[in-house]
Amino acid sequence: MTSTTEGAPTRGWKLPPMGVLGPILALIALIVLGAAMNPSFLAYANITNVLARSAFIGIIAVGMTFVITAGGLDLSVGSMAAFIAGLMILVMNAALPTLGVGVPIILLGMAVALVAGLLAGLLNGFLITTLGIEAFIVTLGTMGIYRSLVTWLADGGTLSLDFGLRTFYRPVYFDGILGVSWPIIVFALVVIAGEVLMGRMRFGRHCAATGSNEQVAHYSNVDVNRTRLATYAMLGVLVGVATIMYVPRLGSASASTGVLWELEAIAAVIIGGTVLKGGFGRVWGTVIGVLILSLIDNILNLTDLVSPYLNGAIQGVIIILAVILQRESRAKD
Amino acid sequence: MTQTDRTPVLSLRDVHKSFGPVEVLHGVDLDLHAGEVLALIGENGAGKSTAMKCLAGYQAPTSGEVRVDGTPVRFSSLHDGELAGIVLIHQEFNLAEQLTVEQNVFLGRELRRGPLLDRAEMRRRTADYLARVKCDVDPGARVASLSNSQKQMVEIAKALGRDARVLVMDEPTAVLTRREADILFEQVDALRAEGTAVLFTSHKLGEVKQIADRVAVMRDGEVVRTGDAARMSEDEMATAMVGRDVSDLYPAKPGLAADAPILLRVEGLDVPGQAHGIDLQLRAGEILGLAGLVGSGRTEAMEGLCGLRPARARRIEIGGEEVRIRKPADALDKGLVYLTEDRKLKGLLLGKGMRENLTLASLARYGTFIDRDAEDVALTEAIREFDIRAGRRDALVGNLSGGNQQKLLLAKVMQSGPRILIVDEPTRGIDIGTKQQIYAYLRRLAAEGYGIVLVSSEMQEIIGLSDRVLVMRQGRIAGEVTGEAIGEDAIVRHAMGVAARVEAA
Ligand SMILES: Nc1ncnc2c1ncn2[C@@H]1O[C@H](COP(=O)(O)OP(=O)(O)OP(=O)(O)O)[C@@H](O)[C@H]1O
Ligand SMILES: [Mg+2]
């Protein structure tokens, strides 16, 4: 629509568009800023800490990338995580007398988390695809349901894992291989699998097709409902995985567990360049989005330039900026 | 009518237009005169739509001038164009789907009484414009609920409401039936008499001959010839467009071997509310025409057959073997594919590239981990085989010219390796040279043993290509015409319901 496209650098190696470059540049800027402000920013301990904390939201955000790419949305993941954590703790505590402290009881807990996540995801997906209810409404509903269920399970207080069990389970969060902790390893694996699934496999294409035009997808032999159902189920399972990594960290669950995780996950997805309306998504972008959000948090905590209470405000600005950048780069196509 | 001594109302002078590094108009000159109908014709991708958008101020030329009454102007938006009395009807619809017909007609220029909308007056006038184009829709109906041809009529009604000095229409008749096109042309006649300048494009050269005063032929971004419509025959127009002779539009019909096996047998197909008791047989090597008026249920029946919408059938056999088709994948497994008539809403992902679109329906062939190199090879082949002209390989499909989108859609359907091909309006928006190629292609497929069902509203296409024609009327098969008897009269009589099983013409 503008006639001033002449003179753009088109010869030889072309600069990637701002939509690709933007998030990467922002991440680099944040790292430089952090390093300049506080020498301990680049210390091994801090980096590990940031990455490990990013892992929970990150694992969920990878699943969210698929849901949003396929034209959906899931607001329930935060309370779903809290509910699964509560359920896991209850089951493990209840099984303690019979199984005793040991690997089997941990495996039981993990299985509970994965199955509960899968079922919760399938429920969301079923209501959205088969019954055709708006994703926003369905997941707003289930968000309230899980939140209130966990509050009820904890009787308004906190559900705590048995002390002996907690000591035994702790290494799942705090240990790792070669100095890389488990949450980081799992996060990395999920990201790699997600990137392959999105970029190199049929499922990713089907998600993008469904999100960009459901009719065309249907006429192109894509099972639209199954694709969308699968994205919700996958997200549910990933919420389960995130919870498995989360429970050993604090060993408890309460009504305030996982609050606002859904918004952080969605924000990370959008900052990473996935289109909120669906039709286009990239997993590596989501990873950058997650890192940007946790780095802002980390930098505010390490320096006293700005109050950490303003964290939310800064994240808000970043999200809006990211969307503006997306739009600019699309207008130029 | 000779207006050569008058200043043109609107003209292009040496207009160039580039999209990024690709120049698609190389110095176009065009004059529109009051009270004159100019037809702009040319191959797919020649730049007709782009030239029209420049004229109407919808896109700014990269260089060159747009002149209104001889004075150069620079429209900064479509709105400026409309203020100058220029109205453009796009090749793609430009209606707000969720609004009503009336809201669309008055969009951006709502009538008011005091601070409030004057809805009664707007409704009255909308009804009036719709009556002028003999379009029987309720002004309060949502645009999303209209058929394509009704949407086109609403676009035209909307243009009438603008009191245009210049009316520019990009392929207005592509989605219209012949009767609707005639209604449109009556309106064009009336506008011409009132002194409006009209510019339109069409790939139906018969129409061009019928309605245009002058013809401008575009090729590869340039106007290569202009002349009086009366002094150019259709063949001359076609030759000027394509650069070669296209008088043999339809390939010869070789006749069907008596022992050709039956590929597809359908008994008692019902699509609730749309089609009932459809029986048909298709032999290997046969092109079966499916004719009928718009709304006779042809598309719905075929979509039902392919599992694209809910349907029931007493029995379906493919290659002699009974099959059940509940979803598109079932049909595809059996080598039965459907090419949709609606490339924009059902056929292609406009926001994606050609590669993703080409392979979407047949991704399984490219391995668990999609082999992008193989996809690229497939795209190269499709571009060559179907002569897709895209400018750039990585162009978004939404930026391809209409006809090239259609070619890509055909390539996409062929990707899934069908044995039975159902093509619904396969040449909509395609230029005459490419039409000839597509007809030859379909005939070649038939000769190789494919079975082809051709759904088309273009009578000539049905007559020229089909070995046998089934005519549908109100959701049922009303009759069959074969061999020498295939002709307009016989088909129309079945379609209108006045033939009582008359087989001979
Ligand atoms: N927005 C755009 N960006 C990039 N290329 C474009 C854009 N719009 C048009 N083109 C290119 O410009 C060329 C001319 O397109 P145009 O739509 O004007 O053709 P046309 O003559 O109207 O063809 P058709 O008969 O198929 O409608 C095509 O090669 C097309 O790919
Ligand atoms: Mg065009």
Side-chain angles (χ1 to χ4, degrees), chain B residues 222-258:
Chain B
E222 283 171 86
V223 174
V224 292
R225 184 169 167 190
T226 49
D228 274 351
R231 291 214 210 99
M232 256 169 131
S233 72
E234 286 179 40
D235 277 349
E236 276 174 305
M237 291 180 198
T239 311
M241 275 169 58
V242 185
R244 64 185 158 84
D245 183 38
V246 275
S247 46
D248 293 326
L249 195 52
Y250 300 100
K253 296 180 191 175
L256 204 59

Side-chain angles (χ1 to χ4, degrees), chain B residues 43-50 52-53 91-92 170-171 201 203 343 400-403 429:
Chain B
E43 280 181 293
N44 296 129
K48 303 179 296 293
S49 298
T50 310
M52 291 180 144
K53 286 178 192 165
Q91 186 165 6
E92 316 77 36
D170 197 350
E171 287 193 44
T201 52
H203 289 293
R343 62 175 172 255
L400 298 189
S401 80

Side-chain angles (χ1 to χ4, degrees), chain A residues 302-327:
Chain A
L302 285 182
T303 62
D304 36 42
L305 202 62
V306 186
S307 157
Y309 295 136
L310 282 176
N311 186 350
I314 294 180
Q315 290 187 348
V317 170
I318 299 268
I319 295 165
I320 294 170
L321 269 180
V323 174
I324 293 175
L325 278 180
Q326 263 187 31
R327 197 183 47 191

Side-chain angles (χ1 to χ4, degrees), chain A residues 200 205 218-221 279, chain B residues 303 332 352 370 375 412:
Chain A
R200 306 309 307 256
R205 291 272 180 95
H218 174 61
Y219 277 77
S220 304
N221 191 31
Chain B
E303 288 186 349
L332 209 66
K352 301 258 172 220
I370 298 168
E375 281 185 281
K412 169 181 167 183

Side-chain angles (χ1 to χ4, degrees), chain B residues 31 139 153 184 191 208 273 283 297 315 345 358 378 438 474 479 503:
Chain B
D31 290 319
M153 289 323 235
L184 169 63
L191 288 173
V208 171
R283 287 171 181 274
R315 190 179 171 86
L345 292 183
L358 180 68
I438 287 182
Q474 294 174 355
E503 292 296 342

Side-chain angles (χ1 to χ4, degrees), chain A residues 113-157:
Chain A
L114 294 179
V115 170
L118 177 67
L119 291 179
L122 282 174
L123 176 67
N124 277 340
F126 170 78
L127 293 172
I128 292 164
T129 57
T130 311
L131 299 190
I133 312 173
E134 201 76 46
F136 186 91
I137 305 296
V138 167
T139 59
L140 193 64
T142 50
M143 169 170 123
I145 293 173
Y146 296 133
R147 180 64 63 200
S148 117
L149 280 180
V150 72
T151 316
W152 174 68
L153 286 181
D155 206 9

